[in-house]
């Protein structure tokens, strides 16, 4: 397998830096021009298209053993990768909760990649940039300045880190030393609308799926606080150990916001950890009209949220804030001799992020966040969050006025769930009908929402964390859903 190029002469030393910097620089300039042209012309491109087999073949082949020209590799990228994205940078992509990124973010990623620091910790500017970003985030969400925080890959990891701290801080014994075996089962509480990443965290932390109490919700998909209280009381009576209450600041299905203040009260009453999953919804805290609804968020022991959804930074970036720095540190710190924080040199300084999370080696996520804060300012970003919420309201109005569409859930934030109402169709065929409608809509390239099922109703789900969307895009969406629905109706009646 191995080739012997240059092996014959051990005195020849190689590097991955270019032999001709001018050539690579010219290619780099061209790449930047091409990428900005690509972003500028997004509206003319399909929101999504399937990945063709020919392109798939072109990116494959045997393990590349020999050098080839970077320009040729770039041309392969341009022809076979760039035209077939997931779609989330497009103005009419509203699937799952996928953010768009920004042109500024393209540049920040390049700068971060150039410095390519390992932000595990130490005395260097990137570590201080992360500390600064975390200080801003604490201030924004009214966490105390002595709270701790960590930038992570996204909401899933943010939830995991927070629940790990909750488990270790609340268990009442040295869980790192003893493990969970032979101890009273711990119980985590949240609503049935909780995101699946929390389920993963509970399972991976050894708490066990059976001790993940999923409490019912009201008409607005918000947790039933009375039922939660009853469950805690019952579990205590049954000899279990209630551990943590999770509140949703924007559920993934519909954007519902739990009564966070009531949950904070309950957590205090029963001496439980209070965690808030605010993956995207936490950012509504920056909008004055949402402050009251979200005020309980600032009382959380830990808060998880993303920067790659709302806030619009490039993937990947999420954050965890933890009120007790000590609890956070004690959950993750391990300092073998080869990682000793020496006090001087590159391993000096106070910013040791590896002591606050799973990762030892960490990338420079903080730069794109720092540049976004500095360049756009929080006010503009908050106006964009508000714009997305107003667009959701506008879409809901369009749906209500459309002859064959109905809303399938309230839309308190930036998510609208809807379906086509085919007359006289039973539930199951109607669900299949809407599923087919959505697939055709996505394949048409016009728009790409995703789906969910709400109280048995398959729903087209439009989650708006897109700074490129305009009102006219939602008009196009409604017109397309009506048109494809009518076509499908006709096909159904001809069968
Ligand atoms: C409410 C909620 N929590 C957690 C997550 C997980 O976040 P991520 O996809 O960044 O891991 C999501 C993702 O959509 C979410 O909506």
């Amino acid at each position: 397998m191995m080739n012997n190029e240059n092996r014959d002469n051990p005195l020849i030393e190689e590097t991955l830096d270019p032999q001709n910097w001018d050539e690579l620089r010219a290619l780099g300039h061209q790449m930047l021009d091409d990428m900005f042209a690509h972003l500028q012309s997004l509206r003319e491109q399909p929101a999504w298209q399937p990945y063709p087999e020919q392109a798939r073949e072109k990116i494959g082949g045997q393990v590349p053993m020999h050098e080839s020209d970077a320009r040729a590799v770039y041309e392969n990228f341009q022809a076979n990768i760039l035209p077939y994205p997931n779609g989330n940078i497009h103005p009419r992509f509203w699937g799952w909760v996928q953010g768009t990124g920004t042109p500024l973010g393209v540049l920040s990623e390049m700068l971060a990649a150039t410095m390519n620091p390992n932000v595990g910790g130490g005395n260097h500017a990137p570590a201080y940039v992360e500390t600064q970003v975390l200080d801003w985030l604490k201030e924004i969400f009214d966490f105390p300045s002595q709270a701790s925080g960590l930038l992570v890959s996204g909401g899933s990891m943010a939830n995991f880190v927070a629940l790990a701290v909750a488990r270790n801080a609340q268990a009442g014994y040295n869980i790192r030393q003893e493990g969970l075996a032979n101890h009273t089962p711990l119980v985590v509480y949240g609503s049935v609308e909780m995101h699946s990443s929390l389920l993963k965290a509970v399972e991976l932390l050894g708490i066990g799926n059976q001790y993940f109490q999923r409490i019912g919700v009201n008409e607005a998909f918000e947790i039933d606080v009375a039922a939660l209280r009853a469950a805690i009381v019952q579990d205590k009576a049954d000899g279990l150990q209630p551990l943590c209450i999770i509140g949703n600041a924007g559920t993934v299905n519909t954007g519902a916001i739990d009564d966070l203040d009531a949950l904070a009260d309950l957590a205090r009453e029963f001496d439980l950890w209070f965690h808030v999953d605010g993956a995207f919804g936490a950012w509504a805290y920056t909008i004055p009209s949402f402050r009251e609804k979200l005020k309980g968020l600032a009382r959380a022991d830990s808060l998880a949220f993303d920067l790659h959804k709302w806030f619009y930074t490039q993937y990947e970036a999420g954050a965890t804030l933890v009120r007790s720095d000590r609890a956070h540190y004690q959950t993750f710190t391990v300092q073998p001799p080869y990682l000793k924080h020496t006090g001087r040199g590159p391993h000096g300084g106070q910013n040791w992020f590896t002591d606050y999370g799973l990762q030892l080696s960490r990338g420079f996520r903080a730069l794109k966040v720092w540049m976004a804060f500095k360049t756009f300012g929080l006010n503009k970003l908050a106006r964009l969050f508000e714009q997305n919420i107003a667009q959701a309201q506008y879409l809901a109005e369009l749906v209500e006025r459309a002859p064959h569409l109905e809303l399938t859930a309230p839309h308190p934030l930036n998510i609208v769930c809807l379906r086509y109402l085919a007359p006289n169709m039973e539930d199951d065929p109607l669900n299949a009908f809407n599923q087919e409608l959505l697939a055709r809509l996505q394949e048409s390239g016009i728009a790409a929402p995703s789906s969910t099922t709400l109280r048995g109703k398959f729903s087209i789900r439009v989650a708006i964390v897109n700074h490129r969307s305009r009102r006219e895009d939602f008009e196009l969406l409604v017109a397309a859903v009506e048109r494809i629905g009518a076509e499908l109706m006709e096909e159904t009646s001809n069968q």
Side-chain angles (χ1 to χ4, degrees):
M1 276 280 273
M2 302 303 289
N3 98 349
N4 287 326
E5 293 160 25
N6 291 336
R7 282 272 153 71
D8 300 338
N9 184 353
L11 292 181
I12 295 181
E13 293 178 312
E14 298 193 278
T15 171
L16 297 176
D17 282 339
Q19 280 180 346
N20 183 336
W21 279 94
D22 287 342
E23 235 173 59
L24 193 63
R25 179 177 294 120
L27 179 61
H29 287 170
Q30 188 192 327
M31 284 176 175
L32 187 61
D33 283 345
D34 292 347
M35 290 309 103
F36 274 21
H38 178 74
L39 290 179
Q40 271 187 299
S41 67
L42 281 174
R43 244 166 216 289
E44 286 81 64
Q45 299 168 30
W48 177 81
Q49 57 182 322
Y51 194 32
E53 193 49 39
Q54 314 91 280
R56 166 97 188 74
E57 278 163 18
K58 294 272 173 36
I59 65 161
Q62 304 287 311
V63 177
M65 297 300 287
H66 303 289
E67 291 188 58
S68 52
D69 181 27
R71 185 169 287 275
V73 177
Y74 173 57
E75 281 163 7
N76 190 336
F77 163 82
Q78 272 188 307
N80 301 306
I81 299 175
L82 184 65
Y84 309 106
N86 178 44
N88 54 301
I89 61 176
H90 192 278
R92 287 188 299 279
F93 187 100
W94 305 298
W96 302 276
V97 197
Q98 299 193 0
T100 44
T102 64
L104 179 82
V106 174
L107 301 177
S108 348
E109 289 287 65
M110 184 192 71
L111 304 184
T114 304
M115 288 187 79
N116 194 31
N118 184 334
V119 194
N123 186 358
H124 53 111
Y128 282 89
V129 172
E130 181 157 342
T131 300
Q132 180 56 65
V133 164
L134 290 166
D135 282 347
W136 287 334
L137 294 174
K138 285 185 258 178
E139 193 177 324
I140 288 168
F141 293 111
D142 288 325
F143 265 57
S145 58
Q146 64 280 18
S148 60
L150 185 74
L151 292 188
V152 290
S153 55
S156 301
M157 187 50 89
N159 279 327
F160 180 86
V161 168
L163 289 196
V165 182
R167 185 196 66 167
N168 289 15
Q170 290 288 120
Y173 59 94
N174 186 345
I175 211 165
R176 287 185 64 171
Q177 177 63 22
E178 297 175 37
L180 287 166
N182 307 321
H183 287 283
T184 309
L186 304 166
V187 190
V188 173
Y189 303 83
S191 85
V192 288
E193 293 295 310
M194 273 182 303
H195 189 262
S196 55
S197 59
L198 290 155
L199 177 62
K200 278 194 196 176
V202 164
E203 290 177 358
L204 288 168
L205 289 166
I207 293 167
N209 195 331
Q210 62 174 319
Y211 298 114
F212 193 31
Q213 276 268 27
R214 279 148 277 200
I215 308 295
V217 290
N218 62 18
E219 278 303 298
F221 295 95
E222 300 159 354
I223 193 166
D224 178 341
V225 180
L228 170 60
R229 160 185 278 281
I232 296 171
V233 170
Q234 185 63 51
D235 286 345
K236 279 170 83 90
D238 291 346
L240 304 175
Q241 184 181 340
L243 175 84
C244 168
I245 296 174
I246 299 171
N248 288 299
T251 59
V252 62
N253 267 335
T254 67
I257 299 170
D258 289 336
D259 185 343
L260 301 175
D261 220 26
L263 297 187
D265 286 343
L266 214 54
R268 185 174 296 166
E269 180 185 338
F270 288 95
D271 192 22
L272 307 183
W273 188 275
F274 178 39
H275 173 64
V276 172
D277 177 7
F280 56 98
W283 285 105
Y285 192 71
T286 60
I287 303 172
S289 56
F290 277 84
R291 261 297 157 102
E292 179 59 24
K293 180 85 179 149
L294 283 163
K295 67 175 192 284
L297 169 156
R299 296 175 61 197
D301 293 299
S302 53
L303 171 66
F305 55 97
D306 271 306
L307 296 136
H308 59 209
K309 292 184 166 66
W310 261 346
F311 205 86
Y312 316 105
T313 58
Q314 255 72 1
Y315 284 102
E316 303 168 341
T320 310
L321 300 181
V322 181
R323 187 169 299 278
S324 163
D325 183 307
R326 189 178 159 77
H328 193 175
Y329 178 83
Q330 285 183 338
T331 300
F332 287 104
T333 184
V334 180
Q335 291 178 22
Y338 48 85
L339 293 177
K340 194 167 163 44
H341 310 342
T342 48
R344 289 175 64 188
H347 266 199
Q350 300 301 314
N351 309 291
W352 277 97
F353 300 107
T354 61
D355 288 330
Y356 291 87
L358 272 182
Q359 280 183 279
L360 173 57
S361 297
R362 305 171 68 252
F364 195 4
R365 291 189 184 103
L367 186 64
K368 59 194 166 198
V369 183
W370 182 85
M371 284 185 75
F373 266 126
K374 284 276 191 190
T375 310
F376 303 133
L378 185 61
N379 286 343
K380 178 163 188 178
L381 290 160
R383 285 201 302 276
L384 281 158
F385 309 149
E386 215 170 349
Q387 177 172 300
N388 285 159
I389 295 168
Q391 287 165 340
Q393 175 63 31
Y394 181 60
L395 170 60
E397 285 160 17
L398 293 176
V399 169
E400 276 172 334
R401 287 206 300 269
H404 302 101
L405 307 189
E406 75 161 3
L407 296 170
T408 54
H411 50 90
L413 212 53
N414 58 333
I415 298 181
V416 179
C417 294
L418 59 124
R419 66 174 180 171
Y420 191 92
L421 269 185
N424 306 323
M425 217 181 258
E426 300 286 317
D427 287 350
D428 284 350
L430 188 56
N431 284 349
F433 181 98
N434 275 281
Q435 199 160 345
E436 175 63 22
L437 193 162
L438 174 62
R440 289 190 189 192
L441 174 68
Q442 291 168 336
E443 284 161 7
S444 74
I446 295 172
S450 60
S451 67
T452 192
T453 300
L454 298 166
R455 303 199 167 111
K457 296 178 184 170
F458 180 91
S459 305
I460 298 170
R461 178 177 157 286
V462 181
I464 313 166
V465 285
N466 191 325
H467 63 86
R468 299 198 167 105
S469 303
R470 301 177 191 151
R471 285 180 159 227
E472 70 202 48
D473 292 314
F474 299 98
E475 292 160 11
L476 263 172
L477 169 72
V478 168
V481 173
E482 280 281 6
R483 180 178 51 73
I484 298 169
E487 283 164 15
L488 257 171
M489 279 302 292
E490 194 161 320
E491 284 174 34
T492 316
S493 58
N494 289 339
Q495 274 167 12

